[in-house]
Amino acid sequence: MQADFLVIGSGIAGLTFAVKAAQQFPEKKILVITKAHADETNTKYAQGGIAGVTDFEKDSFEKHIEDTLIAGDGLCNRQVVEIVVKEGVDRIREIIDWGAQFDKEDDGDFKLGREGGHSEFRILHHKDVTGKEMERALLSEVAKYSNIEFIKHCFVVDLITQHHLGFLVTKSTPDIECYGVYVLNRETNQIEKIIAKVTLLATGGNGQIYRSTTNPSIATGDGVAMVYRAKGRIENMEFNQFHPTALYEPGVRGQSFLITEAVRGDGGILRNKNGEAFMERYDPRKDLAPRDIVARAIDSEMKITGTENVYLDVRHMSVEKFVEHFPNIYEKCLSLGIDVSKHLIPVAPAAHYSCGGIKTDEWGRTSIKNLYAAGECASTGLHGANRLASNSLLEAMVFAHRCYMDAALKVPELSYKNDIPDWNARGTTQPKEMILITQSLKEVQQIMSDYVGIVRTNIRLSRAMKRIDLLWEETESLYQTTTVSPQLSELRNMITVSYLVIKGASFRHESRGLHFNTDYPNKSEMVQNIVL
Ligand SMILES: Cc1cc2nc3c(=O)[nH]c(=O)nc-3n(C[C@H](O)[C@H](O)[C@H](O)COP(=O)(O)OP(=O)(O)OC[C@H]3O[C@@H](n4cnc5c(N)ncnc54)[C@H](O)[C@@H]3O)c2cc1C
């Protein structure tokens, strides 16, 4: 199979790119691949909203830029921050034109929310299901273009580069090129090749490497792992954002339900098991301090009081307003017997967002030729050491647009690569024991949660590395002898991504942004990105 534009991922980044390419090139083929249902993405679960300057009387680009730089703790690329904040307004207008609806006041102005780290009310939202609404609008826009082909439940295993043509490719090889991908066809169980002129990785986050995460099961860091295997550049993987307030449900594994930060923006107060509003002891901004500070404060309160959760108190808020702004959260709590007007909501931090990823330049170009990355899998320089809340949907749209702009100039000049060999499955057999995969997966999540979580130490990192190394060896030998399955591929990718997080964390001899190591509690004079 061939495609002029190959898009891996059907979240906000992938679909934005696909629509733009389809609009400009009606005669060219755009192929979108996703490993799950079309809308099973991190995008669908975004609650709080999308940050953007729309009220120019009270707000300004400068204020949004400043807030982003402060959150990024010295590691943002200022040029990229300016690009995202300024160009974001046009991208928001575009998605509104494509049908996305954001809540409005009676006078027709946007109803703007405020979240931790923002100095102004600037978050556009659709109740508490903003991502679902944006994904809906994007999918219906995609459906209008006959030159977009959409393949669901199709797992991308690896990028195709010169390596597959028999050349030795190392980190120092100049001009590594991407010719397309190998995919696992779930119907035939065969690995097929898809040849493309340009490829966009929009594979999302990696929250699943932790035991508790707000991310759905697709978030296994596949894009990052594929680029690392192809000898491309990966950056700042140690900056994992933990959302301070996922709903705490004892005994529940997998994706945790998120209680958006906007609830604290509207007046929600965090309390420990003794009922104390503890945030004032940690930061003058109290419950609206940036996420990393709130997450560490909760972690510390849980350790002091010996509990697995704290509470969010919204009992003093108007229940009518709460239901109007957060209907989804209200219903979810009620389904568990929590009436938010009378009861405290039990919450605990959960892995939420990966700030680092595939290193790109300001046009979304990776270190591999004809390969772009956008959205959560990319490290563009916007977030630095910490993401400002609700900046990620904005970044995904701005960079999807920029990738498309650059790719649109290249595609007419490019041709398909011939002579790509078929996938070599010689010597592999069907897996006999799935337990070898499922148990290793649990171990990865355990290691990452216990040793590489919100607070890190040198000894924990070194233990984590030793254990991940062992899992890597075992999984690689399984991979050499077993027919490829999505489960095995995901495990392999999660081990690679965990390795990159631990490696980044071990190289960073300081505490900065989201990375906090008690052996190096201060910031270093040397301000640097860690590129692996
Ligand atoms: C609960 C929650 C709440 C959030 N709230 C907000 C918010 O309020 N505001 C904000 O700005 N951000 C928020 N975020 C973050 C934001 O939603 C994500 O960063 C963003 O949606 C990522 O979009 P994406 O297009 O990069 O990836 P995704 O939307 O995650 O899409 C990834 C796609 O890649 C596909 N894929 C992955 N690997 C493969 C493979 N090997 N083969 C084939 N397909 C593959 C997946 O199937 C999927 O289609 C939230 C995230 C979560 C989880």
Side-chain angles (χ1 to χ4, degrees):
M1 195 184 278
Q2 294 184 330
D4 294 285
F5 297 85
L6 173 61
V7 181
I8 321 291
S10 58
I12 188 165
L15 297 185
T16 303
F17 178 96
V19 167
K20 284 171 175 272
Q23 277 174 345
Q24 186 177 338
F25 296 103
E27 78 293 354
K28 299 222 182 283
K29 177 166 165 185
I30 295 99
L31 179 60
V32 180
I33 294 181
T34 169
K35 66 176 170 178
H37 298 301
D39 71 347
E40 188 53 2
T41 58
N42 272 9
T43 301
K44 182 172 87 172
Y45 295 95
Q47 288 185 351
I50 178 165
V53 180
T54 51
D55 176 357
F56 285 90
E57 275 176 26
K58 294 197 188 111
D59 202 0
S60 64
F61 288 145
E62 287 66 35
K63 284 188 192 174
H64 190 181
I65 290 167
E66 203 48 35
D67 291 346
T68 305
L69 292 172
I70 290 170
D73 210 3
L75 283 189
C76 300
N77 175 335
R78 191 184 177 102
Q79 188 203 352
V80 169
V81 176
E82 290 186 6
I83 287 171
V84 172
V85 167
K86 292 180 182 169
E87 294 183 10
V89 182
D90 289 338
R91 303 290 80 80
I92 290 174
R93 220 172 279 134
E94 246 158 32
I95 199 164
I96 291 173
D97 288 343
W98 295 343
Q101 305 219 344
F102 297 110
D103 294 352
K104 292 196 169 161
E105 304 284 1
D106 294 339
D107 62 6
D109 287 347
F110 288 117
K111 222 180 227 178
L112 298 174
R114 187 174 162 193
E115 297 183 351
H118 286 275
S119 57
E120 293 295 342
F121 285 79
R122 63 168 74 98
I123 318 292
L124 287 93
H125 53 89
H126 179 97
K127 303 198 183 298
D128 56 354
V129 285
T130 309
K132 195 172 173 193
E133 169 60 11
M134 294 174 89
E135 182 74 17
R136 180 203 62 74
L138 283 163
L139 283 171
S140 67
E141 191 62 22
V142 161
K144 292 181 187 162
Y145 296 93
S146 57
N147 57 335
I148 300 182
E149 187 182 346
F150 210 130
I151 312 185
K152 295 160 212 157
H153 301 285
C154 178
F155 191 95
V156 177
V157 177
D158 258 324
L159 301 171
I160 304 174
T161 67
Q162 291 96 323
H163 166 77
H164 299 92
L165 302 176
F167 295 97
L168 176 70
V169 176
T170 68
K171 284 262 174 226
S172 42
T173 303
D175 292 340
I176 305 173
E177 289 180 29
C178 177
Y179 307 125
V181 295
Y182 286 114
V183 299
L184 176 62
N185 181 329
R186 305 285 286 272
E187 278 167 21
T188 59
N189 255 340
Q190 298 295 313
I191 304 263
E192 294 168 3
K193 56 190 180 202
I194 298 179
I195 314 300
K197 292 181 182 164
V198 295
T199 303
L200 171 73
L201 285 172
T203 47
N206 60 37
Q208 287 289 328
I209 62 172
Y210 288 94
R211 201 171 37 210
S212 169
T213 176
T214 62
N215 293 190
S217 60
I218 53 110
T220 51
D222 298 353
V224 169
M226 284 188 255
V227 170
Y228 188 70
R229 279 198 292 275
K231 312 294 179 204
R233 298 284 165 197
I234 309 293
E235 173 178 76
N236 288 349
M237 289 298 288
E238 64 279 20
F239 297 120
N240 311 88
Q241 186 166 69
F242 288 80
H243 198 287
T245 57
L247 185 64
Y248 175 71
E249 296 179 77
V252 172
R253 278 189 83 90
Q255 188 182 7
S256 307
F257 182 82
L258 182 74
I259 308 287
T260 170
E261 194 155 356
V263 173
R264 278 177 287 127
D266 277 11
I269 297 169
L270 285 162
R271 297 189 184 279
N272 63 17
K273 89 164 195 205
N274 305 320
E276 292 159 2
F278 56 84
M279 273 314 299
E280 59 196 41
R281 283 194 265 116
Y282 293 90
D283 194 280
R285 288 163 289 187
K286 299 185 195 168
D287 296 89
L288 282 181
R291 278 182 190 171
D292 56 319
I293 295 174
V294 180
R296 276 203 294 279
I298 295 176
D299 191 63
S300 154
E301 287 296 314
M302 289 183 343
K303 290 207 165 88
I304 292 167
T305 56
T307 50
E308 289 192 351
N309 66 291
V310 294
Y311 297 93
L312 190 57
D313 188 359
V314 301
R315 292 172 300 179
H316 53 286
M317 290 161 58
S318 146
V319 73
E320 288 76 26
K321 281 205 177 135
F322 190 92
V323 175
E324 191 194 332
H325 192 170
F326 311 111
N328 195 31
I329 296 176
Y330 181 79
E331 283 303 324
K332 174 73 184 178
C333 288
L334 212 54
S335 74
L336 298 171
I338 303 163
D339 175 349
V340 300
S341 65
K342 297 195 188 97
H343 306 132
L344 297 171
I345 308 171
V347 291
H352 185 57
Y353 186 82
S354 170
C355 291
I358 304 158
K359 185 173 168 51
T360 73
D361 67 7
E362 72 278 15
W363 292 101
R365 294 180 285 220
T366 70
S367 58
I368 297 178
K369 268 173 95 179
N370 304 331
L371 180 72
Y372 296 84
E376 193 166 338
C377 68
S379 176
T380 64
L382 175 73
H383 305 304
N386 191 0
R387 173 186 73 129
L388 183 67
S390 288
N391 262 357
S392 36
L393 293 169
L394 190 73
E395 180 201 35
M397 291 200 300
V398 168
F399 269 87
H401 172 81
R402 293 193 139 238
C403 290
Y404 140 79
M405 293 280 284
D406 196 75
L409 296 176
K410 271 192 200 155
V411 163
E413 312 293 319
L414 290 170
S415 51
Y416 295 112
K417 185 78 181 168
N418 297 318
D419 305 327
I420 303 287
D422 289 335
W423 181 261
N424 181 359
R426 254 195 321 261
T428 60
T429 53
Q430 290 293 330
K432 290 186 189 69
E433 294 189 285
M434 277 308 279
I435 188 74
L436 297 180
I437 295 172
T438 52
Q439 179 58 26
S440 294
L441 181 63
K442 278 190 209 152
E443 282 178 44
V444 171
Q445 293 171 331
Q446 194 95 18
I447 292 164
M448 293 305 288
S449 299
D450 292 344
Y451 294 142
V452 203
I454 296 170
V455 175
R456 296 152 182 187
T457 64
N458 287 348
I459 189 155
R460 286 187 207 166
L461 292 176
S462 113
R463 275 190 169 208
M465 190 55 107
K466 281 190 200 140
R467 282 154 177 77
I468 286 290
D469 265 349
L470 179 63
L471 285 167
W472 183 80
E473 269 176 36
E474 289 172 357
T475 308
E476 281 309 295
S477 78
L478 196 62
Y479 189 80
Q480 301 309 324
T481 52
T482 311
T483 321
V484 175
S485 65
Q487 293 86 344
L488 179 56
S489 269
E490 283 185 347
L491 171 64
R492 195 168 173 243
N493 291 338
M494 286 162 75
I495 289 173
T496 300
V497 168
S498 300
Y499 163 83
L500 292 167
V501 172
I502 301 166
K503 190 114 180 156
S506 308
F507 279 167
R508 191 166 286 288
H509 291 181
E510 61 168 348
S511 289
R512 181 186 294 276
L514 297 163
H515 172 71
F516 188 75
N517 183 335
T518 55
D519 289 313
Y520 307 108
N522 301 316
K523 244 174 258 178
S524 151
E525 303 268 290
M526 235 174 37
V527 182
Q528 58 176 347
N529 294 309
I530 291 181
V531 181
L532 299 168

